[in-house]
């Protein structure tokens, strides 16, 4: 029964925050302390930063902000607005559907670049880029905006797209309250301090507590052994000693180890006493499926891994499904599904299979039969009916959405996924399985970070369903339990800015604020804030060093003369002697010249007033310390000089390039204005903003038809795989496309040289690898032909095509009339079939 004093305190809190109390009453769960604290801050008119683990319920805070905006009824068709931004279109689609369920379709809109639904609604879900573009265009939709929720705000660290988050945060109107939702980062307070600087009063709320505790296991053959010794307590996080023994012998000692026999035959309590904590026990002899050999004898040093079907059956047997297996390879995910299918695993009932088939057919009814055959639909559906699926970026978006929905409904029980699934999509499981703790980063196999481990295992544990979540690490040769424990124990990773000025950003800022004010705005970025924070630390070290230098200088003072000068001569002599000994390649003449200099320095030392001081060596020891510290202090001063104003200096270089090309004009007094060409640049967004603007201005694409313009736009957005060689000249579309491509490539080379002359990093060459396939698609070619031509998975082709559509859409708005018309035709030509599919349209 609740304590009377506690009931009184809750009642008093409810009176102080009635809107929070009313909102809390509508929820399925009692709000956690961090959620209540964040809601109270919002009700009091402050912005908030909420940093909490995956699955902790951060989005509740964003939903409360929407609740506040919708609290007052609209008067005369108007009312407060709330924008909910996400880093990915899939997340935007998911959030849109959730909010429609609460507020109805009339009150909720969706803007993702390629989908526009009810954009004037009071609640609008959008990608962060869409909001950035609204701010630069001073869109009328910003009127009456009261709250902006930035979900997954730690994307600010993304080196390709992170700058967009900072642009939005800096440029939002001052009266808009910001709700920033982040994974647990180690420098949340630093990020919160910056938010307070640029947005005003901001409450920083950090929670390390998972609402569903996470149990960590290591799967050794057929046994799920606990990673940590429960007896030691969570605070000490001592590794299970049985795992350490297994590692030390590097092989299975279970067969002839008396203690292990006791472990296997005992009940769970006995196992806990032996292994250092509870755990689930699976099969100890692998099923002899297909004539496979039984467990190796004890004199064989290698521990066999369970096959995936066996792992799935083990998890099913000990009621640890549904599960997500993270496999850092698309091919591996697809192969895993096939393995389970070939093994005859079926995890669903007849009723569930019927429900799955009905949902799949409903969600894919708009796709053409011939396209479904190309996409492997029938086999995919059969796998779903078994309760098994893959989830990765190569999968068609429509198929991914079906997998997500079936998993949420507990109809699909096992998903083999790449790490993209861990990025915010609402797919919690009872168990997460990591087959390996390393992945290929494009160049080499690298260990996953503590942050990645936390993000992946954060999917385990469904609030309101599971008492605890489970993370299972499969034993591999060379696995170090201590290293796994270190990953599991570290819950945080740093949030570092990736902000850098772009050409589009520069012309927009100059047009709206003027150059000087633009520099000030950029100096308020998180990137500069972090650099300045570092400068503060460096300056403190310089100050401390200067105090030490003064002390050293005093300690080496000699009453016979200037010992600093004497010690400088000693250092010069020592350095020159070392150089002369080490430099074996020096000519005889050079060595003779050095020898003369050495003799001269020795004579000067001997004649120096301090040379005969009886305390000379004592003074010298202090002098050595002095010069060593002096060198390191000079380095610190150089670091301070290079860090101060770094973002503004890059901005100046960007403006210099724009001025050289005529996108801005700089008067004699430094006043900078945007030209007509710069006004076009203001509406071109993306990595290739300067190249697109120059190509339009010089008429490089004037002679293209719709398919050719689609192919060329694709060349500007496509990023080839590292091992991709491209189709070569013979594979590219003929006619005006070739000429336009050559002119564009020549322009790129000129711009790249210009950027490097201004100490900017330049850009990658135009990539033609997808041009032929995009040209064919725009001409109406069948899906199987285009995918074969592209050598891409359907999901990848759709992703690049949608980015091509984004660029074509921009061209239709900013290009000269003739090219704009062609761009609209190209849009219509490529937005068809699987590309046009949308689950929310």
């Amino acid at each position: 029964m609740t304590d009377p004093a506690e009931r009184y305190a809750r009642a008093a809190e409810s009176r102080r925050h009635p809107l929070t109390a009313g909102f809390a009453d509508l929820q399925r769960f009692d709000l956690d302390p961090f959620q209540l604290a964040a809601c109270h801050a919002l009700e009091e008119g402050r912005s908030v930063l909420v940093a909490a683990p995956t699955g902790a319920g951060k989005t509740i805070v964003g939903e409360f902000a929407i609740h506040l905006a919708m609290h007052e009824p609209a008067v005369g068709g108007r009312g407060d607005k709330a924008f909910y931004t996400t880093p990915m279109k899939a997340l935007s689609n998911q959030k849109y559907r959730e909010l429609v369920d609460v507020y109805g379709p009339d009150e909720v809109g969706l803007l993702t670049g390629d989908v526009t639904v009810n954009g004037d609604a009071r609640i609008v879900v959008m990608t962060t880029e869409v909001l950035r573009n609204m701010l630069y265009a001073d869109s009328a939709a910003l009127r009456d905006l009261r709250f902006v929720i930035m979900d997954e705000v730690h994307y600010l660290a993304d080196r390709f797209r992170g700058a967009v988050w900072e642009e939005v945060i800096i440029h939002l109107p001052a009266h808009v309250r910001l709700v920033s939702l982040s994974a647990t980062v180690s420098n949340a307070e630093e990020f919160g301090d910056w938010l307070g600087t640029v947005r005003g009063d901001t409450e920083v709320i950090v929670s390390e507590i998972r609402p569903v505790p996470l149990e960590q296991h290591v799967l050794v053959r057929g046994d799920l052994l606990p990673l940590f010794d429960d007896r030691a307590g969570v605070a000490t996080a001592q590794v299970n000693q049985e795992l350490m023994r297994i590692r030390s012998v590097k092989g299975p000692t279970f067969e002839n180890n008396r203690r292990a026999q006791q472990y296997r035959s005992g009940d769970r309590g006995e196992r806990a006493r032996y292994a250092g904590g509870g755990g689930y026990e699976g099969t100890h002899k692998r099923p002899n499926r297909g004539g496979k050999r039984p467990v190796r004898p004890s004199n064989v040093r290698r521990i066999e891994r369970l096959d995936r079907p066996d792992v799935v059956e083990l998890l099913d047997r000990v009621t640890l499904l549904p599960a997500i297996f993270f496999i850092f390879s698309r091919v591996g995910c697809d192969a895993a599904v096939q393995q389970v299918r070939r093994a005859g695993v079926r995890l669903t009932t007849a009723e569930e299979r019927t429900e799955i088939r009905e949902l799949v057919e409903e969600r894919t009814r708009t796709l053409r039969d011939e396209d479904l055959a190309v996409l492997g639909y029938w086999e995919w559906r059969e796998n779903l009916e078994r309760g098994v699926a893959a989830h990765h970026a190569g999968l068609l978006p429509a198929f991914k959405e079906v997998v997500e929905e079936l998993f949420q409904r507990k109809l699909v029980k096992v998903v083999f996924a790449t790490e993209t699934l861990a990025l915010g999509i609402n797919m919690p499981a009872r168990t997460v399985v990591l087959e390996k703790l390393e992945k290929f980063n494009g160049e080499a196999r690298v260990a996953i970070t503590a942050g990645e481990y936390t993000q992946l295992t954060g999917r385990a544990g469904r609030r309101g369903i599971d008492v605890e979540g489970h993370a299972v690490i499969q034993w591999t040769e060379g696995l170090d339990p201590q290293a796994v424990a270190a990953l599991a124990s570290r819950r945080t990773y740093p949030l570092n800015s990736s902000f850098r000025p772009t050409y589009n950003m520069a012309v927009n800022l100059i047009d709206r604020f003027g150059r000087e004010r633009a520099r000030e705005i950029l100096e308020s970025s998180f990137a500069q804030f972090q650099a300045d924070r570092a400068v503060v630390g460096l300056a403190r070290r310089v100050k401390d060093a200067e105090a030490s230098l003064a002390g050293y200088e005093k300690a080496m003072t000699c009453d016979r003369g200037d010992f600093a000068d004497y010690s400088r001569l000693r250092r010069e002599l020592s350095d020159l002697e070392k150089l002369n000994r080490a430099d074996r390649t020096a000519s005889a003449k050079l060595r003779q010249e050095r020898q003369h200099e050495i003799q001269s320095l020795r004579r000067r030392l001997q004649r120096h007033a301090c040379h005969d001081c009886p305390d000379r060596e004592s003074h010298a020891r202090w002098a050595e310390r002095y010069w060593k510290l002096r060198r390191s202090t000079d380095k610190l001063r150089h670091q301070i000089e290079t860090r101060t104003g770094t973002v503004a200096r890059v901005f100046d270089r960007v403006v210099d390039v724009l001025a050289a090309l005529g996108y801005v004009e700089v008067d004699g007094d430094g006043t900078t204005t945007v030209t007509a060409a710069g006004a076009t640049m203001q509406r071109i967004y993306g990595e290739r903003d300067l190249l697109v603007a120059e190509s339009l201005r010089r008429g490089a694409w004037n002679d293209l038809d719709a398919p050719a313009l689609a192919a060329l736009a694709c060349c500007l957005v496509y990023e080839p795989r590292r091992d991709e060689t491209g189709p070569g000249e013979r594979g590219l579309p003929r006619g005006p496309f070739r000429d336009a491509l050559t002119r564009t490539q020549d322009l790129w080379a000129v711009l790249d040289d210009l950027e490097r002359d201004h100490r900017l990093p330049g850009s990658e060459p135009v990539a033609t690898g997808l041009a032929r396939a995009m040209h064919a698609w725009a001409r109406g070619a069948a899906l199987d032909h285009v995918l074969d031509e592209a050598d891409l998975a359907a999901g990848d082709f759709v992703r690049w095509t949608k980015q091509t559509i984004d660029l074509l859409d921009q061209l239709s708005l900013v290009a000269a009339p003739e090219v704009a018309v062609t761009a609209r035709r190209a849009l219509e030509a490529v937005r068809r079939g699987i590309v046009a599919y949308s689950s929310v349209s």
Side-chain angles (χ1 to χ4, degrees):
M1 190 170 178
T2 310
D3 180 84
E6 187 179 338
R7 287 203 304 272
Y8 176 81
R10 287 183 180 176
E13 193 62 71
S14 295
R15 287 193 296 273
R16 283 196 300 272
H17 299 100
L19 296 177
T20 300
F23 176 75
D25 289 341
L26 300 174
Q27 306 310 307
R28 292 186 298 129
F29 310 109
D30 290 339
L31 295 190
D32 291 333
F34 86 90
Q35 294 168 328
L36 287 170
C39 291
H40 291 165
L42 286 172
E43 189 170 350
E44 292 164 7
R46 299 196 296 279
S47 293
V48 294
L49 165 64
V50 180
T54 301
K58 296 183 291 289
T59 55
I60 282 286
V61 182
E63 289 163 12
F64 178 64
I66 294 171
H67 177 79
L68 289 178
M70 301 296 286
H71 179 67
E72 296 295 333
V75 178
R78 292 176 57 183
D80 287 341
K81 290 183 177 180
F83 289 172
Y84 197 109
T85 75
T86 77
M88 293 184 293
K89 292 175 182 178
L91 287 178
S92 293
N93 293 342
Q94 187 176 73
K95 200 67 201 176
Y96 168 77
R97 288 191 292 267
E98 291 174 6
L99 291 170
V100 165
D101 290 341
V102 177
Y103 293 100
D106 294 338
E107 296 285 15
V108 186
L110 177 67
L111 299 172
T112 61
D114 58 337
V115 174
T116 300
V117 179
N118 199 15
D120 294 325
R122 290 177 66 189
I123 308 166
V124 185
V125 183
M126 61 187 68
T127 52
T128 316
E129 282 85 353
V130 169
L131 179 53
R132 186 271 312 272
N133 298 353
M134 278 186 180
L135 289 166
Y136 280 151
D138 198 18
S139 169
L142 297 169
R143 190 174 60 172
D144 303 316
L145 181 61
R146 183 178 173 193
F147 292 101
V148 167
I149 300 100
M150 301 194 79
D151 203 355
E152 309 283 339
V153 76
H154 49 272
Y155 257 81
L156 180 142
D158 184 87
R159 68 189 183 97
F160 297 111
R161 300 173 55 210
V164 176
W165 274 256
E166 289 192 49
E167 289 178 79
V168 168
I169 292 167
I170 291 169
H171 295 307
L172 276 174
H175 68 273
V176 174
R177 297 294 86 191
L178 189 66
V179 181
S180 304
L181 308 177
S182 170
T184 309
V185 293
S186 55
N187 58 336
E189 287 76 11
E190 179 189 43
F191 184 50
D193 286 348
W194 174 70
L195 288 172
T197 302
V198 295
R199 299 297 319 158
D201 193 4
T202 300
E203 184 91 2
V204 179
I205 296 161
V206 178
S207 174
E208 299 278 357
I209 301 170
R210 284 177 49 100
V212 181
L214 183 66
E215 294 289 325
Q216 315 259 0
H217 312 274
V218 178
L219 177 58
V220 185
R221 222 189 302 145
D223 291 314
L224 283 169
L225 302 180
L227 174 61
F228 294 109
D229 184 342
D230 290 349
R231 298 170 302 176
V234 176
T236 56
Q238 181 179 330
V239 176
N240 183 353
Q241 291 306 298
E242 175 62 13
L243 293 173
M244 299 305 295
R245 281 191 288 273
I246 293 170
R247 181 173 188 263
S248 67
V249 299
K250 297 182 180 177
T253 59
F254 292 127
E255 300 303 318
N256 60 359
N257 185 309
R258 182 183 58 81
R259 296 182 68 202
Q261 292 285 0
Q262 178 184 353
Y263 169 82
R264 289 212 306 279
S265 62
D267 61 20
R268 181 169 177 175
E270 289 171 335
R271 290 200 303 274
R273 286 190 291 276
Y274 169 65
Y280 295 95
E281 184 177 13
T283 57
H284 299 288
K285 291 187 178 179
R286 290 169 48 173
N288 194 14
R289 213 185 249 121
K292 292 179 182 174
R293 289 176 295 170
V295 176
R296 295 166 183 254
S298 60
N299 61 340
V300 177
R301 308 292 288 175
R302 185 170 174 271
I303 296 179
E304 292 190 27
R305 287 164 60 96
L306 285 184
D307 288 341
R308 285 170 181 142
D310 298 331
V311 178
V312 170
E313 290 183 336
L314 168 61
L315 296 179
D316 188 27
R317 192 161 54 251
V318 296
T319 63
L320 289 186
L321 297 182
I324 299 170
F325 286 66
F326 281 111
I327 302 173
F328 302 112
S329 151
R330 299 179 187 183
V331 173
C333 292
D334 293 332
V337 173
Q338 294 307 316
Q339 277 182 282
V340 174
R341 173 196 177 103
R342 285 195 300 269
V345 174
R346 190 180 293 280
L347 304 170
T348 54
T349 64
E351 292 77 11
E352 287 173 331
R353 289 193 286 278
T354 299
E355 190 176 347
I356 289 168
R357 179 170 293 213
E358 289 173 354
L359 188 142
V360 170
E361 291 177 350
E362 167 63 23
R363 294 288 184 273
T364 58
R365 72 182 190 283
T366 60
L367 298 174
R368 301 191 308 174
D369 287 347
E370 54 267 39
D371 288 349
L372 291 176
V374 173
L375 297 167
Y377 168 83
W378 312 108
E379 184 179 305
W380 171 72
R381 190 183 72 179
E382 184 184 338
N383 292 333
L384 291 176
E385 290 177 16
R386 290 177 175 273
V388 181
H391 188 289
H392 53 71
L395 206 61
L396 189 70
F399 285 14
K400 278 200 293 187
E401 290 170 10
V402 169
V403 171
E404 290 160 15
E405 185 169 353
L406 290 173
F407 195 79
Q408 289 165 12
R409 291 193 184 190
K410 301 188 278 293
L411 295 171
V412 163
K413 315 300 171 88
V414 172
V415 169
F416 296 97
T418 56
E419 71 257 49
T420 53
L421 187 147
L423 301 176
I425 296 172
N426 182 26
M427 277 184 66
R430 174 166 293 175
T431 303
V432 162
V433 180
L434 299 182
E435 295 191 348
K436 294 181 180 177
L437 295 176
E438 61 178 20
K439 64 178 183 177
F440 186 68
N441 67 358
E443 296 178 349
R445 299 208 67 83
V446 296
I448 65 173
T449 65
E452 289 167 333
Y453 183 92
T454 302
Q455 191 87 353
L456 296 168
T457 57
R459 291 280 145 216
R462 300 162 300 173
R463 190 168 186 174
I465 302 174
D466 298 320
V467 176
E468 57 194 14
H470 298 267
V472 176
I473 313 303
Q474 281 199 267
W475 185 276
T476 57
E477 292 299 316
L479 184 77
D480 180 1
Q482 294 281 12
V484 180
L487 280 178
S489 301
R490 286 183 56 208
R491 298 288 181 214
T492 59
Y493 49 99
L495 176 62
N496 293 313
S497 172
S498 60
F499 185 82
R500 60 180 178 81
T502 64
Y503 298 105
N504 168 274
M505 186 193 304
V507 290
N508 273 296
L509 289 176
I510 291 169
D511 188 49
R512 291 188 66 190
F513 305 109
R515 184 169 182 173
E516 285 309 306
R517 175 70 181 127
R519 287 180 101 259
E520 292 174 13
I521 288 170
L522 292 174
E523 286 178 338
S524 70
S525 66
F526 187 45
Q528 190 58 56
F529 185 84
Q530 287 191 305
D532 291 342
R533 277 287 178 95
V535 165
V536 170
L538 292 172
R540 188 179 298 115
R541 288 169 61 188
V542 168
K543 186 176 179 181
D544 294 343
E546 285 173 344
S548 298
L549 285 169
Y552 294 162
E553 201 167 5
K554 186 176 180 180
M556 71 179 184
T557 300
C558 179
D559 58 2
R560 300 197 177 196
D562 184 354
F563 202 89
D565 181 58
Y566 180 76
S567 66
R568 181 181 55 77
L569 288 172
R570 281 178 57 137
R571 290 188 63 80
E572 286 183 22
L573 175 60
S574 174
D575 290 345
L576 193 57
E577 287 175 334
K578 286 178 185 175
L579 176 63
N580 210 33
R581 284 195 300 271
D583 188 4
R584 304 292 186 189
T585 62
S587 64
K589 182 180 178 182
L590 179 58
R591 294 178 69 82
Q592 188 176 15
E593 288 174 357
R594 287 177 182 164
Q595 197 61 44
H596 282 309
E597 192 173 350
I598 288 169
Q599 294 300 330
S600 174
L601 285 169
R602 284 175 178 166
R603 285 193 296 270
R604 289 170 65 187
L605 269 179
Q606 289 166 0
R607 291 196 297 265
H608 199 283
C610 296
H611 188 68
D612 294 326
C613 175
D615 297 322
R616 183 184 70 191
E617 292 310 309
S618 174
H619 295 326
R621 283 193 293 273
W622 286 109
E624 185 63 30
R625 294 174 189 171
Y626 174 88
W627 288 112
K628 187 175 181 181
L629 183 58
R630 178 74 176 270
R631 281 201 306 272
S632 66
T633 306
D634 288 343
K635 287 181 181 178
L636 290 175
R637 287 197 179 96
H638 179 68
Q639 287 182 47
I640 290 172
E641 290 170 5
T642 56
R643 292 190 183 203
T644 304
T646 50
V647 177
R649 279 203 298 276
V650 173
F651 171 73
D652 286 337
R653 294 168 192 163
V654 166
V655 174
D656 289 345
V657 170
L658 290 170
L661 295 169
Y663 288 92
V664 298
E665 289 180 351
V666 183
D667 297 341
D669 62 356
T671 302
T672 305
T673 54
V674 175
T675 64
T680 299
M681 169 79 77
Q682 285 180 251
R683 294 184 290 166
I684 299 172
Y685 304 95
E687 291 288 311
R688 303 279 193 185
D689 50 4
L690 185 60
L691 180 57
V692 171
E694 275 294 276
S695 299
L696 290 177
R697 188 165 66 155
R698 302 193 185 201
W701 305 337
N702 289 359
D703 298 330
L704 297 178
D705 60 11
L709 185 58
L712 195 54
C714 180
C715 292
L716 297 180
V717 299
Y718 179 61
E719 295 172 14
R721 299 184 297 269
R722 290 177 184 271
D723 58 346
E724 188 173 313
T725 57
E729 285 294 315
R730 287 187 303 172
L732 296 175
R734 297 185 177 279
F737 174 84
R738 296 281 184 97
D739 294 334
L741 176 64
T742 300
R743 292 184 66 183
T744 305
Q745 290 171 324
D746 291 345
L747 267 176
W748 169 82
V750 170
L751 296 177
D752 192 62
D753 288 344
L754 183 63
E755 288 176 313
R756 295 182 191 278
D757 288 345
H758 285 84
R759 290 181 295 161
L760 291 170
S763 59
E764 292 297 315
V766 174
T768 60
L770 197 52
R772 185 166 62 180
M774 190 60 65
H775 191 264
W777 180 251
R779 291 173 60 203
L783 179 63
D784 59 343
H785 170 75
V786 172
L787 292 182
D788 185 58
E789 193 80 71
D791 190 25
L792 284 179
D796 292 322
F797 177 71
V798 170
R799 185 172 74 257
W800 292 122
T801 304
K802 289 197 171 184
Q803 291 195 31
T804 301
I805 286 170
D806 285 346
L807 179 53
L808 290 171
D809 190 40
Q810 292 179 43
L811 297 180
S812 73
L813 299 173
V814 303
E818 200 170 312
V819 176
V821 169
T822 305
R824 283 191 285 274
R825 289 177 183 151
L827 267 174
E828 294 166 4
V830 298
R831 192 185 277 147
R832 65 181 180 89
I834 62 172
V835 176
Y837 171 88
S838 172
S839 62
V840 295
S841 60

